[in-house]
Amino acid sequence: MANLNSKFVGIKSPNPFWLASAPPTDKEYNVRRAYEAGWGGVVWKTLGEAGPPVVNVNGPRYGAIWGADRRLLGLNNIELITDRPLEVNLREMKAVKRDYPDRALVASLMVPCEEQAWKAILPLVEDTGADGVELNFGCPHGMSERGMGSAVGQVPEYIEMVTRWVKQNTRMPCIVKLTPNITDIRKPAEAAMKGGADAVSLINTINSITSVDLDLFAPQPTIDGKGAHGGYCGPAVKPIALNMVAEIARDPSMAHLPISGIGGITTWKDAAEFMVMGAGNVQVCTAAMTYGFKVVQEMISGLGQWMDEKEISDISEIVGRAIPNTTNWQNLNLNYVSKAKINNDLCINCGRCYAACEDTSHQAILMSEDRVFSVDDSECVACNLCINVCPVENCITMEPMAAGTTDPRTGKVVSGKHGDWTTHPNNPMATAAE
């Protein structure tokens, strides 16, 4: 059986699935239920400094994007950090950690960008027995207008400065949570590393407005006739998150920086994809809010079964496995050729592939009088749009052409050798040089 025990920056948990800092981790009741359901760790919802209370809206807090079957694809939240008193959160964290010593408990923190504010809150968190702290440099709404959250996360110098303050004033491992609302995710990650961070976590939510009420003429969710931008999360952000995780993981200067992957993780497969892209563990929010805490049980069993099938005994063996195969476009093999192939035994004759290819691609799919579809290899450029629009899984596949055969589209012999982009005829710079 695969070993799912996790050790992330020295923090042990029975599996790599943590709940991210969010509404599901706002109080003791929720966290106990999460641990009982099987979550390996929890990042407690972001704590602020003692003083004037945070006040959340008492109206709708979430906007949503749904698929055609009303499956939730994305949430846009306008909720702030915890609005519960700091001392209450600290007391509950201490009680939970006492009763679940084998589970990871990390405190998410956000206080003003002043050294004294950080020095004041860190010993209070240490006293709870928490395993670590996560610095919330990501929230794009509400707190950022006060000079916190993504207002810090978008300035590498601030990230490095605050991280250094934290590392100088606590024994706990320090994870820096990064905002995706930035041009190059490597810059804040590098700053966190320079400040002494033990790890980074990403991505936090994406600044967004998900929809507009066309009767009220106001963004949703709407509070007394007005709306505001918020933070977008859920399955729809997964591609953005995966790319940003990979950008850090494949940067040689940060090859050994641990990463906690966040962003649209709903299934064990999502989690595995983040881990092979370089994440040492994963954090989940929207899936738990959509399906409840027990969704983790499917994640645990699915990951374990996949690892058994692959004869992988420990999760450490999968971390970063896909990074050597992740490259820049100009390094792809331009001599590799494949063609689409339609399995007519599976085809339901819907015609989506034909319509998509005929109208928007390369007119490579043919339709007979009796509505049977086939591929014209002389026109197929292997874009695989037909696969993406086909409603039947594996009905259309891409079949590689063997080296030495002639590509009917170009008339050239297919080579198994890697193409040189600097001299390839498709390179406009090479053509210009000629």
Side-chain angles (χ1 to χ4, degrees), residues 263-395:
I265 298 164
T266 307
T267 67
W268 71 265
K269 186 175 181 291
D270 296 330
E273 290 177 12
F274 270 83
M275 296 183 76
V276 300
M277 276 298 197
N281 73 358
V282 294
Q283 297 183 37
V284 178
C285 173
T286 308
M289 295 177 72
T290 305
Y291 303 110
F293 285 149
K294 289 186 178 180
V295 70
V296 73
Q297 296 169 9
E298 295 180 10
M299 295 180 180
I300 292 170
S301 62
L303 182 62
Q305 182 177 339
W306 172 74
M307 289 174 61
D308 288 340
E309 291 172 355
K310 293 288 185 182
E311 299 183 346
I312 298 170
S313 60
D314 193 275
I315 59 170
S316 62
E317 298 175 37
I318 68 173
V319 176
R321 283 280 289 268
I323 291 302
N325 296 324
T326 307
T327 186
N328 294 329
W329 192 95
Q330 62 265 32
N331 298 322
L332 298 177
N333 184 2
L334 299 179
N335 290 316
Y336 176 87
V337 179
S338 62
K339 301 291 181 181
K341 182 177 181 180
I342 299 173
N343 183 337
N344 285 299
D345 291 333
L346 296 177
C347 180
I348 61 173
N349 305 109
C350 67
R352 288 190 190 176
C353 61
Y354 174 79
C357 189
E358 190 71 13
D359 289 351
T360 69
S361 195
H362 292 81
Q363 298 77 52
I365 294 181
L366 308 176
M367 180 174 65
S368 68
E369 292 184 0
D370 55 350
R371 204 174 174 82
V372 174
F373 300 93
S374 60
V375 177
D376 181 356
D377 286 349
S378 66
E379 297 294 339
C380 180
V381 301
C383 70
N384 87 326
L385 174 62
C386 53
I387 293 177
N388 291 325
V389 300
C390 179
V392 181
E393 189 173 5
N394 296 323
C395 178

Side-chain angles (χ1 to χ4, degrees), residues 14-63:
N15 61 64
F17 300 104
W18 291 6
L19 278 175
S21 169
T25 63
D26 191 32
K27 62 170 78 76
E28 180 179 358
Y29 177 83
N30 300 61
V31 173
R32 287 182 181 274
R33 285 179 59 83
Y35 284 154
E36 291 297 325
W39 291 91
V42 160
V43 183
W44 203 278
K45 186 172 180 181
T46 306
L47 310 177
E49 63 180 346
V54 170
V55 179
N56 271 295
V57 296
N58 288 312
R61 298 183 184 182
Y62 304 113

Side-chain angles (χ1 to χ4, degrees), residues 50 76 82 158 230 234 277:
N76 170 21
T82 184
Y158 290 174
M277 276 298 197

Side-chain angles (χ1 to χ4, degrees), residues 378-422:
S378 66
E379 297 294 339
C380 180
V381 301
C383 70
N384 87 326
L385 174 62
C386 53
I387 293 177
N388 291 325
V389 300
C390 179
V392 181
E393 189 173 5
N394 296 323
C395 178
I396 308 177
T397 54
M398 301 305 301
E399 304 294 332
M401 294 186 66
T405 59
T406 301
D407 182 352
R409 188 178 74 87
T410 63
K412 295 181 179 179
V413 176
V414 175
S415 169
K417 297 180 181 180
H418 197 289
D420 183 358
W421 175 242
T422 59

Side-chain angles (χ1 to χ4, degrees), residues 155-168:
V155 184
E157 293 80 5
Y158 290 174
I159 294 174
E160 181 179 351
M161 177 179 67
V162 176
T163 304
R164 184 169 287 112
W165 291 342
V166 171
K167 289 301 295 180
Q168 290 172 347

Side-chain angles (χ1 to χ4, degrees), residues 38-252:
W39 291 91
V42 160
V43 183
W44 203 278
K45 186 172 180 181
T46 306
L47 310 177
E49 63 180 346
V54 170
V55 179
N56 271 295
V57 296
N58 288 312
R61 298 183 184 182
Y62 304 113
I65 295 292
W66 296 278
D69 59 355
R70 202 170 164 79
R71 184 170 69 91
L72 186 65
L73 300 180
L75 276 180
N76 170 21
N77 87 87
I78 59 170
E79 186 167 303
L80 304 182
I81 65 175
T82 184
D83 52 13
R84 305 168 70 239
L86 177 61
E87 61 272 15
V88 172
N89 278 300
L90 294 172
R91 183 175 66 246
E92 292 183 359
M93 289 170 61
K94 189 170 187 176
V96 168
K97 186 59 186 176
R98 178 195 63 216
D99 294 344
Y100 296 89
D102 66 322
R103 307 301 173 100
L105 180 63
V106 174
S108 176
L109 302 179
M110 183 193 292
V111 296
C113 203
E114 302 165 358
E115 184 173 9
Q116 187 53 44
W118 288 96
K119 289 176 69 173
I121 199 170
L122 288 168
L124 302 178
V125 175
E126 278 193 7
D127 189 57
T128 67
D131 298 297
V133 291
E134 183 180 78
L135 313 188
N136 185 345
F137 295 154
C139 283
H141 61 278
M143 305 308 292
S144 57
E145 287 90 330
R146 308 180 194 187
M148 294 182 276
S150 63
V152 177
Q154 292 169 335
V155 184
E157 293 80 5
Y158 290 174
I159 294 174
E160 181 179 351
M161 177 179 67
V162 176
T163 304
R164 184 169 287 112
W165 291 342
V166 171
K167 289 301 295 180
Q168 290 172 347
N169 288 282
T170 184
R171 57 165 181 78
M172 296 180 290
C174 172
I175 304 167
V176 173
K177 192 172 187 179
L178 303 179
T179 177
N181 302 299
I182 195 163
T183 305
D184 187 346
I185 195 65
R186 294 171 297 178
K187 300 300 183 183
E190 183 181 31
M193 190 171 65
K194 287 180 178 179
D198 297 285
V200 292
S201 60
L202 65 150
I203 60 173
N204 207 313
T205 53
I206 300 171
N207 204 6
S208 67
I209 292 175
T210 49
S211 59
V212 179
D213 188 313
L214 294 179
D215 292 317
L216 298 176
F217 299 103
Q220 294 179 321
T222 306
I223 308 297
D224 194 24
K226 296 186 181 297
H229 65 96
Y232 193 50
C233 60
V237 311
K238 175 191 164 189
I240 298 167
L242 267 179
N243 177 65
M244 289 189 169
V245 166
E247 285 291 283
I248 296 171
R250 69 191 189 96
D251 188 311

